[in-house]
Amino acid sequence: MPPAKDNEPSPSGAADPAASKGKEPEVVNESEGEEEDEEEAGAEGTAAAEASSGGKKKKKKKSKKKKAAAAPAEEESDKVGAETAQKLVSSLTDSQLKQLWSMNPALNNEITAGGSKEPTRQNVMEMLQKMSIHDLLTGMPSGRGAVKDMGAFKFWKTQPVPKFGEKISEEGPMQVKTLDDVAKQPDPLPDGFEWVTMDLTNEDEMKEVHDLLEGHYVEDDTAMLRFNYSMSILKWAMLAPGWKPDYHIGVRASQSRRLVAFISAIPVDIRVRKAVITVSEVNFLVVHKKLRNKRLAPVMIKEVTRRSNLNGIWQGLYTGGNILPTPVSTCRYYHRALDWQKLYEIGFSPLPPGSKPSQQIKRYQLPDHGKLKGVREITADDVDAVLSLLTRYLERFDMAPEYTKEEFIHWFVSTTQDREERVVWAYVVEDDNGKITDFFSFYGLDSSVINHNKHKLLRAAYHFYYATETGLTEKVDKAALKKRLNELMHEALIFAKKLKFDVYNALTLMENPLILNEHHFGGGDGNLHYYLFNYRTAPISGGVTKTNRPDEEKLSGIGVVML
């Protein structure tokens, strides 16, 4: 099954720190020490490691040469990117062009800025041919070098995913196979590399995965931020109910035994409209930076697909920041400052023209206590009532998970009160009669701030699942629902602030479009595209309008929150 977030075989995901920043900060280069480390990894598997001190000096010299050549190389990359983009655009049919711009609200907004509701092929061509490959695929400005990832399209043409412009007349699997159709052995890797199954119950092997993600997973286009997954969140995400060792797939360099690539999946049941299917939810695809020219990612995707198939799972669910064939839905990231001063200092949030830092700090101030009565943390005794509430609430959406009691406990009932070890926070609202009427939650995910002289860590809270009886009346009162959801969000922001989070992030999924404006959420730089593997379904609303703003009328049909 395909990847959730990695910049191979598609450009970097929007579910990354790049989606969060309010303005483009100055590019920060990483340390020479890390470059040397990458050179070493790049040499593994193709030649014996150099043991002499002379070998180390040679690496340093090579790093310096690379820096000196960086500017002309980047200019050449831009030129190649523009030429490739123009060739790609010219080859698209009318229906493919229309789908490409309509799937990306940011592009749509640019193309229709002149007032035309239905732009001509010439309008679209003129706009798209001015863009780089990355802009073409995301509608958002990018760092350099995305053109090398266009090989991804060749890979996806071989996979059971809908083509651009394909009309969906019938929903369901695209391929039907049996176990006899599944290869019993994995595809071969390049010389010098070998498959391994990682034992994530072993602390040392989990630490290897952690370290690989820490150094080489998703970062923003300016190398300002990089996801910093804690050991706790990795266990929470990858050792969920139903996990199997087979789904923790690694690649090691044969000589050094170093872990250089990894991908994982967990089996989950989701409902797509009326059909309930078991899918492999794929995440944490990472390849060492200097090995991405080995094209390991497509082989790893095929391997996690093979292993899923051997376990009787034929569909997959994944997300990405770039348009691949073909999104089921597209949501946009929104961000709400909790510590505006810190966000401003690291380049995450801009200072609006004509404003002062003191004004922004005041704008994002929160009270010490909320207003809702009966708000408290969830306990084990609440599980049955809250699971029932959430299950009924998720029926409102076109695509949503089907949680068992065991899964609910895993995802929402924390086993620790230690702030540094804890991953998820969930709360309920209890009325005067002891009935639970509301539920909301968020999880924490830090990002490393790269090469900043003051701040080393950005603490982000992510809006998770919620439910309210207000939305479950026979005829939903939308005004009342909006009021209640905003009250719940207000409580969530206060709790997150007390827990020392710096920013609160939310997507335009579920009914989030009703709560973003009132709480000063700002639009992020990225979209998140939802994909189904080996399953064809009609598009689902992502909660954004054609101008890429929260859609309070249509809302979103997406009820799945991906980590």
mmCIF file of all heavy atoms in Angstrom, residues 372 374-378 386 389-390 412 424-429 436-443 462-468 484-485 487-496 504:
data_model
loop_
_atom_site.group_PDB
_atom_site.id
_atom_site.type_symbol
_atom_site.label_atom_id
_atom_site.label_comp_id
_atom_site.label_asym_id
_atom_site.label_seq_id
_atom_site.Cartn_x
_atom_site.Cartn_y
_atom_site.Cartn_z
ATOM 1 N N LEU A 372 -17.371 25.973 30.059
ATOM 2 C CA LEU A 372 -18.309 24.849 30.073
ATOM 3 C C LEU A 372 -18.302 24.132 31.418
ATOM 4 O O LEU A 372 -17.246 23.853 31.992
ATOM 5 C CB LEU A 372 -17.959 23.844 28.979
ATOM 6 C CG LEU A 372 -18.395 24.164 27.545
ATOM 7 C CD1 LEU A 372 -18.047 22.997 26.631
ATOM 8 C CD2 LEU A 372 -19.881 24.453 27.473
ATOM 9 N N GLY A 374 -18.922 20.794 33.715
ATOM 10 C CA GLY A 374 -18.869 19.341 33.578
ATOM 11 C C GLY A 374 -17.776 18.804 32.684
ATOM 12 O O GLY A 374 -17.808 17.629 32.301
ATOM 13 N N VAL A 375 -16.781 19.643 32.335
ATOM 14 C CA VAL A 375 -15.665 19.175 31.502
ATOM 15 C C VAL A 375 -14.622 18.478 32.376
ATOM 16 O O VAL A 375 -14.212 19.010 33.405
ATOM 17 C CB VAL A 375 -14.997 20.343 30.749
ATOM 18 C CG1 VAL A 375 -13.849 19.834 29.887
ATOM 19 C CG2 VAL A 375 -16.007 21.078 29.898
ATOM 20 N N ARG A 376 -14.207 17.304 31.964
ATOM 21 C CA ARG A 376 -13.168 16.555 32.688
ATOM 22 C C ARG A 376 -12.475 15.583 31.736
ATOM 23 O O ARG A 376 -12.959 15.326 30.638
ATOM 24 C CB ARG A 376 -13.776 15.795 33.864
ATOM 25 C CG ARG A 376 -14.853 14.798 33.469
ATOM 26 C CD ARG A 376 -15.299 13.961 34.653
ATOM 27 N NE ARG A 376 -16.409 13.067 34.320
ATOM 28 C CZ ARG A 376 -16.285 11.907 33.685
ATOM 29 N NH1 ARG A 376 -15.083 11.507 33.286
ATOM 30 N NH2 ARG A 376 -17.344 11.152 33.437
ATOM 31 N N GLU A 377 -11.355 15.061 32.187
ATOM 32 C CA GLU A 377 -10.650 14.080 31.371
ATOM 33 C C GLU A 377 -11.435 12.775 31.317
ATOM 34 O O GLU A 377 -12.122 12.405 32.269
ATOM 35 C CB GLU A 377 -9.256 13.806 31.934
ATOM 36 C CG GLU A 377 -8.235 14.861 31.555
ATOM 37 C CD GLU A 377 -6.805 14.349 31.695
ATOM 38 O OE1 GLU A 377 -6.505 13.270 31.123
ATOM 39 O OE2 GLU A 377 -6.003 15.016 32.372
ATOM 40 N N ILE A 378 -11.301 12.070 30.218
ATOM 41 C CA ILE A 378 -11.954 10.781 30.059
ATOM 42 C C ILE A 378 -11.331 9.759 31.004
ATOM 43 O O ILE A 378 -10.143 9.835 31.333
ATOM 44 C CB ILE A 378 -11.839 10.301 28.594
ATOM 45 C CG1 ILE A 378 -12.805 9.156 28.307
ATOM 46 C CG2 ILE A 378 -10.404 9.908 28.253
ATOM 47 C CD1 ILE A 378 -12.875 8.770 26.834
ATOM 48 N N VAL A 386 -18.800 6.886 25.612
ATOM 49 C CA VAL A 386 -18.157 7.756 24.624
ATOM 50 C C VAL A 386 -17.997 7.042 23.285
ATOM 51 O O VAL A 386 -18.166 7.649 22.223
ATOM 52 C CB VAL A 386 -16.795 8.268 25.142
ATOM 53 C CG1 VAL A 386 -16.164 9.197 24.114
ATOM 54 C CG2 VAL A 386 -16.962 8.991 26.465
ATOM 55 N N LEU A 389 -21.244 7.348 21.571
ATOM 56 C CA LEU A 389 -21.431 8.717 21.081
ATOM 57 C C LEU A 389 -20.610 8.958 19.824
ATOM 58 O O LEU A 389 -21.116 9.485 18.820
ATOM 59 C CB LEU A 389 -21.032 9.707 22.179
ATOM 60 C CG LEU A 389 -21.039 11.196 21.809
ATOM 61 C CD1 LEU A 389 -22.440 11.659 21.422
ATOM 62 C CD2 LEU A 389 -20.496 12.039 22.983
ATOM 63 N N LEU A 390 -19.345 8.567 19.848
ATOM 64 C CA LEU A 390 -18.466 8.794 18.698
ATOM 65 C C LEU A 390 -18.916 7.979 17.490
ATOM 66 O O LEU A 390 -18.915 8.481 16.357
ATOM 67 C CB LEU A 390 -17.025 8.440 19.063
ATOM 68 C CG LEU A 390 -15.985 8.607 17.947
ATOM 69 C CD1 LEU A 390 -15.913 10.050 17.479
ATOM 70 C CD2 LEU A 390 -14.617 8.119 18.403
ATOM 71 N N PHE A 412 -7.584 6.695 22.719
ATOM 72 C CA PHE A 412 -8.081 7.853 23.477
ATOM 73 C C PHE A 412 -7.859 7.813 24.986
ATOM 74 O O PHE A 412 -7.933 8.867 25.619
ATOM 75 C CB PHE A 412 -9.581 8.031 23.194
ATOM 76 C CG PHE A 412 -9.898 8.264 21.758
ATOM 77 C CD1 PHE A 412 -10.481 7.278 20.981
ATOM 78 C CD2 PHE A 412 -9.588 9.474 21.142
ATOM 79 C CE1 PHE A 412 -10.763 7.477 19.641
ATOM 80 C CE2 PHE A 412 -9.862 9.693 19.805
ATOM 81 C CZ PHE A 412 -10.454 8.691 19.056
ATOM 82 N N VAL A 424 -1.783 11.482 23.841
ATOM 83 C CA VAL A 424 -3.150 11.918 23.533
ATOM 84 C C VAL A 424 -3.857 12.405 24.794
ATOM 85 O O VAL A 424 -3.623 11.895 25.900
ATOM 86 C CB VAL A 424 -3.951 10.769 22.868
ATOM 87 C CG1 VAL A 424 -4.162 9.606 23.829
ATOM 88 C CG2 VAL A 424 -5.268 11.269 22.296
ATOM 89 N N TRP A 425 -4.698 13.411 24.597
ATOM 90 C CA TRP A 425 -5.519 13.962 25.671
ATOM 91 C C TRP A 425 -6.971 13.951 25.201
ATOM 92 O O TRP A 425 -7.287 14.460 24.111
ATOM 93 C CB TRP A 425 -5.099 15.399 26.003
ATOM 94 C CG TRP A 425 -3.790 15.488 26.720
ATOM 95 C CD1 TRP A 425 -3.587 15.634 28.059
ATOM 96 C CD2 TRP A 425 -2.473 15.453 26.138
ATOM 97 N NE1 TRP A 425 -2.242 15.681 28.349
ATOM 98 C CE2 TRP A 425 -1.539 15.559 27.182
ATOM 99 C CE3 TRP A 425 -2.016 15.312 24.834
ATOM 100 C CZ2 TRP A 425 -0.165 15.556 26.976
ATOM 101 C CZ3 TRP A 425 -0.649 15.295 24.610
ATOM 102 C CH2 TRP A 425 0.270 15.415 25.667
ATOM 103 N N ALA A 426 -7.862 13.372 25.998
ATOM 104 C CA ALA A 426 -9.279 13.283 25.631
ATOM 105 C C ALA A 426 -10.126 13.742 26.805
ATOM 106 O O ALA A 426 -9.814 13.464 27.975
ATOM 107 C CB ALA A 426 -9.643 11.852 25.226
ATOM 108 N N TYR A 427 -11.213 14.428 26.480
ATOM 109 C CA TYR A 427 -12.073 15.039 27.502
ATOM 110 C C TYR A 427 -13.539 14.759 27.181
ATOM 111 O O TYR A 427 -13.920 14.569 26.022
ATOM 112 C CB TYR A 427 -11.842 16.543 27.561
ATOM 113 C CG TYR A 427 -10.405 16.926 27.827
ATOM 114 C CD1 TYR A 427 -9.487 17.045 26.773
ATOM 115 C CD2 TYR A 427 -9.939 17.147 29.118
ATOM 116 C CE1 TYR A 427 -8.161 17.374 27.005
ATOM 117 C CE2 TYR A 427 -8.619 17.490 29.365
ATOM 118 C CZ TYR A 427 -7.731 17.599 28.304
ATOM 119 O OH TYR A 427 -6.418 17.915 28.536
ATOM 120 N N VAL A 428 -14.347 14.762 28.229
ATOM 121 C CA VAL A 428 -15.788 14.602 28.073
ATOM 122 C C VAL A 428 -16.491 15.750 28.782
ATOM 123 O O VAL A 428 -15.908 16.421 29.656
ATOM 124 C CB VAL A 428 -16.295 13.257 28.646
ATOM 125 C CG1 VAL A 428 -15.669 12.088 27.898
ATOM 126 C CG2 VAL A 428 -16.009 13.156 30.142
ATOM 127 N N VAL A 429 -17.731 15.963 28.374
ATOM 128 C CA VAL A 429 -18.597 16.917 29.075
ATOM 129 C C VAL A 429 -19.763 16.113 29.634
ATOM 130 O O VAL A 429 -20.460 15.404 28.892
ATOM 131 C CB VAL A 429 -19.123 18.016 28.138
ATOM 132 C CG1 VAL A 429 -20.001 18.999 28.924
ATOM 133 C CG2 VAL A 429 -17.953 18.756 27.480
ATOM 134 N N ILE A 436 -22.939 11.735 29.540
ATOM 135 C CA ILE A 436 -21.885 12.338 28.727
ATOM 136 C C ILE A 436 -22.500 12.837 27.426
ATOM 137 O O ILE A 436 -23.059 12.062 26.648
ATOM 138 C CB ILE A 436 -20.761 11.330 28.452
ATOM 139 C CG1 ILE A 436 -20.018 11.030 29.762
ATOM 140 C CG2 ILE A 436 -19.782 11.872 27.407
ATOM 141 C CD1 ILE A 436 -18.954 9.965 29.642
ATOM 142 N N THR A 437 -22.387 14.133 27.203
ATOM 143 C CA THR A 437 -23.020 14.757 26.040
ATOM 144 C C THR A 437 -22.028 15.148 24.954
ATOM 145 O O THR A 437 -22.430 15.363 23.802
ATOM 146 C CB THR A 437 -23.790 16.011 26.469
ATOM 147 O OG1 THR A 437 -22.865 16.927 27.101
ATOM 148 C CG2 THR A 437 -24.908 15.665 27.458
ATOM 149 N N ASP A 438 -20.765 15.255 25.327
ATOM 150 C CA ASP A 438 -19.759 15.729 24.371
ATOM 151 C C ASP A 438 -18.425 15.055 24.640
ATOM 152 O O ASP A 438 -18.137 14.613 25.767
ATOM 153 C CB ASP A 438 -19.569 17.242 24.471
ATOM 154 C CG ASP A 438 -20.864 18.020 24.394
ATOM 155 O OD1 ASP A 438 -21.272 18.371 23.280
ATOM 156 O OD2 ASP A 438 -21.476 18.249 25.460
ATOM 157 N N PHE A 439 -17.592 15.045 23.607
ATOM 158 C CA PHE A 439 -16.269 14.430 23.679
ATOM 159 C C PHE A 439 -15.352 15.169 22.717
ATOM 160 O O PHE A 439 -15.753 15.534 21.605
ATOM 161 C CB PHE A 439 -16.382 12.950 23.295
ATOM 162 C CG PHE A 439 -15.107 12.317 22.807
ATOM 163 C CD1 PHE A 439 -14.096 11.972 23.694
ATOM 164 C CD2 PHE A 439 -14.921 12.047 21.456
ATOM 165 C CE1 PHE A 439 -12.926 11.373 23.239
ATOM 166 C CE2 PHE A 439 -13.759 11.450 20.986
ATOM 167 C CZ PHE A 439 -12.753 11.109 21.891
ATOM 168 N N PHE A 440 -14.120 15.445 23.111
ATOM 169 C CA PHE A 440 -13.135 16.031 22.196
ATOM 170 C C PHE A 440 -11.740 15.583 22.602
ATOM 171 O O PHE A 440 -11.504 15.174 23.747
ATOM 172 C CB PHE A 440 -13.242 17.560 22.147
ATOM 173 C CG PHE A 440 -12.997 18.259 23.466
ATOM 174 C CD1 PHE A 440 -11.734 18.716 23.819
ATOM 175 C CD2 PHE A 440 -14.049 18.477 24.357
ATOM 176 C CE1 PHE A 440 -11.512 19.376 25.024
ATOM 177 C CE2 PHE A 440 -13.840 19.138 25.564
ATOM 178 C CZ PHE A 440 -12.575 19.586 25.898
ATOM 179 N N SER A 441 -10.812 15.650 21.665
ATOM 180 C CA SER A 441 -9.466 15.138 21.924
ATOM 181 C C SER A 441 -8.443 15.818 21.024
ATOM 182 O O SER A 441 -8.779 16.398 20.000
ATOM 183 C CB SER A 441 -9.423 13.621 21.694
ATOM 184 O OG SER A 441 -9.792 13.293 20.365
ATOM 185 N N PHE A 442 -7.197 15.731 21.422
ATOM 186 C CA PHE A 442 -6.072 16.172 20.586
ATOM 187 C C PHE A 442 -4.852 15.335 20.953
ATOM 188 O O PHE A 442 -4.784 14.744 22.033
ATOM 189 C CB PHE A 442 -5.782 17.669 20.741
ATOM 190 C CG PHE A 442 -5.536 18.140 22.150
ATOM 191 C CD1 PHE A 442 -4.271 18.029 22.741
ATOM 192 C CD2 PHE A 442 -6.557 18.713 22.908
ATOM 193 C CE1 PHE A 442 -4.030 18.473 24.040
ATOM 194 C CE2 PHE A 442 -6.334 19.160 24.206
ATOM 195 C CZ PHE A 442 -5.076 19.038 24.769
ATOM 196 N N TYR A 443 -3.911 15.267 20.038
ATOM 197 C CA TYR A 443 -2.657 14.563 20.328
ATOM 198 C C TYR A 443 -1.495 15.515 20.088
ATOM 199 O O TYR A 443 -1.631 16.544 19.414
ATOM 200 C CB TYR A 443 -2.511 13.291 19.492
ATOM 201 C CG TYR A 443 -2.349 13.483 18.010
ATOM 202 C CD1 TYR A 443 -1.084 13.599 17.430
ATOM 203 C CD2 TYR A 443 -3.460 13.521 17.167
ATOM 204 C CE1 TYR A 443 -0.937 13.768 16.064
ATOM 205 C CE2 TYR A 443 -3.314 13.683 15.794
ATOM 206 C CZ TYR A 443 -2.052 13.808 15.250
ATOM 207 O OH TYR A 443 -1.899 13.974 13.902
ATOM 208 N N TYR A 462 -2.566 18.554 17.777
ATOM 209 C CA TYR A 462 -3.362 18.288 16.576
ATOM 210 C C TYR A 462 -4.782 17.902 16.972
ATOM 211 O O TYR A 462 -4.971 16.963 17.760
ATOM 212 C CB TYR A 462 -2.732 17.162 15.748
ATOM 213 C CG TYR A 462 -1.484 17.579 15.020
ATOM 214 C CD1 TYR A 462 -0.269 17.707 15.697
ATOM 215 C CD2 TYR A 462 -1.505 17.855 13.655
ATOM 216 C CE1 TYR A 462 0.887 18.095 15.033
ATOM 217 C CE2 TYR A 462 -0.361 18.236 12.981
ATOM 218 C CZ TYR A 462 0.832 18.364 13.674
ATOM 219 O OH TYR A 462 1.976 18.757 13.015
ATOM 220 N N HIS A 463 -5.758 18.627 16.413
ATOM 221 C CA HIS A 463 -7.157 18.332 16.695
ATOM 222 C C HIS A 463 -7.471 16.915 16.223
ATOM 223 O O HIS A 463 -7.223 16.572 15.058
ATOM 224 C CB HIS A 463 -8.041 19.352 15.965
ATOM 225 C CG HIS A 463 -9.392 19.533 16.600
ATOM 226 N ND1 HIS A 463 -9.584 19.589 17.968
ATOM 227 C CD2 HIS A 463 -10.635 19.685 16.045
ATOM 228 C CE1 HIS A 463 -10.868 19.784 18.229
ATOM 229 N NE2 HIS A 463 -11.523 19.826 17.084
ATOM 230 N N PHE A 464 -8.007 16.104 17.115
ATOM 231 C CA PHE A 464 -8.236 14.696 16.811
ATOM 232 C C PHE A 464 -9.751 14.483 16.648
ATOM 233 O O PHE A 464 -10.418 15.275 15.991
ATOM 234 C CB PHE A 464 -7.626 13.844 17.939
ATOM 235 C CG PHE A 464 -7.223 12.450 17.569
ATOM 236 C CD1 PHE A 464 -6.882 12.107 16.275
ATOM 237 C CD2 PHE A 464 -7.152 11.463 18.545
ATOM 238 C CE1 PHE A 464 -6.494 10.815 15.953
ATOM 239 C CE2 PHE A 464 -6.774 10.164 18.239
ATOM 240 C CZ PHE A 464 -6.441 9.836 16.936
ATOM 241 N N TYR A 465 -10.306 13.484 17.262
ATOM 242 C CA TYR A 465 -11.741 13.205 17.081
ATOM 243 C C TYR A 465 -12.580 13.910 18.135
ATOM 244 O O TYR A 465 -12.112 14.215 19.230
ATOM 245 C CB TYR A 465 -11.989 11.701 17.152
ATOM 246 C CG TYR A 465 -11.497 10.958 15.926
ATOM 247 C CD1 TYR A 465 -10.208 10.428 15.883
ATOM 248 C CD2 TYR A 465 -12.314 10.794 14.818
ATOM 249 C CE1 TYR A 465 -9.759 9.751 14.756
ATOM 250 C CE2 TYR A 465 -11.878 10.113 13.687
ATOM 251 C CZ TYR A 465 -10.596 9.593 13.665
ATOM 252 O OH TYR A 465 -10.155 8.938 12.554
ATOM 253 N N TYR A 466 -13.852 14.124 17.792
ATOM 254 C CA TYR A 466 -14.796 14.726 18.719
ATOM 255 C C TYR A 466 -16.201 14.288 18.361
ATOM 256 O O TYR A 466 -16.449 13.726 17.271
ATOM 257 C CB TYR A 466 -14.700 16.260 18.688
ATOM 258 C CG TYR A 466 -14.891 16.863 17.308
ATOM 259 C CD1 TYR A 466 -16.164 17.165 16.818
ATOM 260 C CD2 TYR A 466 -13.790 17.141 16.489
ATOM 261 C CE1 TYR A 466 -16.339 17.724 15.556
ATOM 262 C CE2 TYR A 466 -13.959 17.685 15.228
ATOM 263 C CZ TYR A 466 -15.233 17.973 14.766
ATOM 264 O OH TYR A 466 -15.410 18.517 13.516
ATOM 265 N N ALA A 467 -17.142 14.526 19.260
ATOM 266 C CA ALA A 467 -18.538 14.184 19.012
ATOM 267 C C ALA A 467 -19.402 14.970 19.993
ATOM 268 O O ALA A 467 -18.961 15.313 21.092
ATOM 269 C CB ALA A 467 -18.775 12.683 19.199
ATOM 270 N N THR A 468 -20.627 15.257 19.581
ATOM 271 C CA THR A 468 -21.554 15.978 20.447
ATOM 272 C C THR A 468 -22.984 15.545 20.152
ATOM 273 O O THR A 468 -23.347 15.314 18.989
ATOM 274 C CB THR A 468 -21.423 17.499 20.269
ATOM 275 O OG1 THR A 468 -22.432 18.154 21.054
ATOM 276 C CG2 THR A 468 -21.562 17.922 18.810
ATOM 277 N N ARG A 484 -21.956 24.904 19.708
ATOM 278 C CA ARG A 484 -21.422 23.888 20.615
ATOM 279 C C ARG A 484 -19.996 23.493 20.230
ATOM 280 O O ARG A 484 -19.120 23.352 21.102
ATOM 281 C CB ARG A 484 -22.322 22.652 20.601
ATOM 282 C CG ARG A 484 -21.982 21.635 21.685
ATOM 283 C CD ARG A 484 -22.080 22.284 23.059
ATOM 284 N NE ARG A 484 -22.014 21.288 24.138
ATOM 285 C CZ ARG A 484 -22.071 21.597 25.417
ATOM 286 N NH1 ARG A 484 -22.187 22.883 25.789
ATOM 287 N NH2 ARG A 484 -22.014 20.664 26.348
ATOM 288 N N LEU A 485 -19.744 23.311 18.946
ATOM 289 C CA LEU A 485 -18.399 22.930 18.521
ATOM 290 C C LEU A 485 -17.382 24.014 18.849
ATOM 291 O O LEU A 485 -16.233 23.715 19.209
ATOM 292 C CB LEU A 485 -18.381 22.631 17.022
ATOM 293 C CG LEU A 485 -19.136 21.374 16.572
ATOM 294 C CD1 LEU A 485 -19.065 21.218 15.053
ATOM 295 C CD2 LEU A 485 -18.578 20.123 17.252
ATOM 296 N N GLU A 487 -17.613 26.031 21.405
ATOM 297 C CA GLU A 487 -17.410 25.944 22.858
ATOM 298 C C GLU A 487 -16.420 24.832 23.193
ATOM 299 O O GLU A 487 -15.536 25.006 24.055
ATOM 300 C CB GLU A 487 -18.750 25.698 23.558
ATOM 301 C CG GLU A 487 -19.694 26.888 23.516
ATOM 302 C CD GLU A 487 -21.089 26.565 24.022
ATOM 303 O OE1 GLU A 487 -21.432 25.347 24.117
ATOM 304 O OE2 GLU A 487 -21.851 27.499 24.318
ATOM 305 N N LEU A 488 -16.541 23.714 22.523
ATOM 306 C CA LEU A 488 -15.626 22.598 22.757
ATOM 307 C C LEU A 488 -14.208 22.949 22.312
ATOM 308 O O LEU A 488 -13.229 22.609 22.994
ATOM 309 C CB LEU A 488 -16.117 21.349 22.033
ATOM 310 C CG LEU A 488 -17.477 20.787 22.480
ATOM 311 C CD1 LEU A 488 -17.869 19.604 21.596
ATOM 312 C CD2 LEU A 488 -17.451 20.371 23.944
ATOM 313 N N MET A 489 -14.075 23.619 21.170
ATOM 314 C CA MET A 489 -12.751 24.035 20.702
ATOM 315 C C MET A 489 -12.109 25.011 21.679
ATOM 316 O O MET A 489 -10.893 24.942 21.943
ATOM 317 C CB MET A 489 -12.844 24.650 19.309
ATOM 318 C CG MET A 489 -11.524 25.226 18.781
ATOM 319 S SD MET A 489 -10.171 24.024 18.723
ATOM 320 C CE MET A 489 -10.495 23.229 17.159
ATOM 321 N N HIS A 490 -12.897 25.907 22.232
ATOM 322 C CA HIS A 490 -12.379 26.870 23.210
ATOM 323 C C HIS A 490 -11.764 26.130 24.400
ATOM 324 O O HIS A 490 -10.665 26.479 24.863
ATOM 325 C CB HIS A 490 -13.508 27.786 23.676
ATOM 326 C CG HIS A 490 -13.060 28.895 24.577
ATOM 327 N ND1 HIS A 490 -12.208 29.887 24.171
ATOM 328 C CD2 HIS A 490 -13.338 29.152 25.886
ATOM 329 C CE1 HIS A 490 -11.983 30.719 25.165
ATOM 330 N NE2 HIS A 490 -12.650 30.294 26.223
ATOM 331 N N GLU A 491 -12.441 25.088 24.874
ATOM 332 C CA GLU A 491 -11.915 24.301 25.990
ATOM 333 C C GLU A 491 -10.628 23.593 25.581
ATOM 334 O O GLU A 491 -9.651 23.552 26.336
ATOM 335 C CB GLU A 491 -12.955 23.271 26.443
ATOM 336 C CG GLU A 491 -14.274 23.847 26.911
ATOM 337 C CD GLU A 491 -14.163 24.630 28.198
ATOM 338 O OE1 GLU A 491 -13.356 24.248 29.073
ATOM 339 O OE2 GLU A 491 -14.890 25.645 28.338
ATOM 340 N N ALA A 492 -10.621 23.031 24.371
ATOM 341 C CA ALA A 492 -9.437 22.314 23.894
ATOM 342 C C ALA A 492 -8.222 23.236 23.816
ATOM 343 O O ALA A 492 -7.107 22.855 24.205
ATOM 344 C CB ALA A 492 -9.718 21.694 22.525
ATOM 345 N N LEU A 493 -8.417 24.456 23.321
ATOM 346 C CA LEU A 493 -7.309 25.409 23.215
ATOM 347 C C LEU A 493 -6.752 25.766 24.587
ATOM 348 O O LEU A 493 -5.529 25.889 24.762
ATOM 349 C CB LEU A 493 -7.784 26.669 22.488
ATOM 350 C CG LEU A 493 -8.122 26.508 20.998
ATOM 351 C CD1 LEU A 493 -8.747 27.790 20.459
ATOM 352 C CD2 LEU A 493 -6.875 26.147 20.190
ATOM 353 N N ILE A 494 -7.630 25.929 25.558
ATOM 354 C CA ILE A 494 -7.177 26.270 26.922
ATOM 355 C C ILE A 494 -6.367 25.122 27.517
ATOM 356 O O ILE A 494 -5.298 25.331 28.108
ATOM 357 C CB ILE A 494 -8.378 26.628 27.808
ATOM 358 C CG1 ILE A 494 -9.007 27.935 27.332
ATOM 359 C CG2 ILE A 494 -7.953 26.749 29.273
ATOM 360 C CD1 ILE A 494 -10.317 28.276 28.010
ATOM 361 N N PHE A 495 -6.866 23.898 27.358
ATOM 362 C CA PHE A 495 -6.118 22.747 27.865
ATOM 363 C C PHE A 495 -4.757 22.641 27.177
ATOM 364 O O PHE A 495 -3.737 22.381 27.823
ATOM 365 C CB PHE A 495 -6.913 21.456 27.645
ATOM 366 C CG PHE A 495 -8.030 21.242 28.631
ATOM 367 C CD1 PHE A 495 -9.328 21.043 28.187
ATOM 368 C CD2 PHE A 495 -7.791 21.229 29.998
ATOM 369 C CE1 PHE A 495 -10.370 20.837 29.090
ATOM 370 C CE2 PHE A 495 -8.816 21.021 30.913
ATOM 371 C CZ PHE A 495 -10.121 20.833 30.448
ATOM 372 N N ALA A 496 -4.718 22.831 25.861
ATOM 373 C CA ALA A 496 -3.460 22.730 25.120
ATOM 374 C C ALA A 496 -2.468 23.812 25.560
ATOM 375 O O ALA A 496 -1.268 23.565 25.671
ATOM 376 C CB ALA A 496 -3.727 22.829 23.619
ATOM 377 N N TYR A 504 -1.811 25.031 17.772
ATOM 378 C CA TYR A 504 -2.878 24.032 17.686
ATOM 379 C C TYR A 504 -3.262 23.914 16.215
ATOM 380 O O TYR A 504 -3.644 24.897 15.573
ATOM 381 C CB TYR A 504 -4.085 24.474 18.520
ATOM 382 C CG TYR A 504 -5.062 23.377 18.849
ATOM 383 C CD1 TYR A 504 -5.063 22.780 20.117
ATOM 384 C CD2 TYR A 504 -5.993 22.926 17.917
ATOM 385 C CE1 TYR A 504 -5.965 21.777 20.439
ATOM 386 C CE2 TYR A 504 -6.888 21.925 18.219
ATOM 387 C CZ TYR A 504 -6.876 21.350 19.486
ATOM 388 O OH TYR A 504 -7.768 20.349 19.805
#
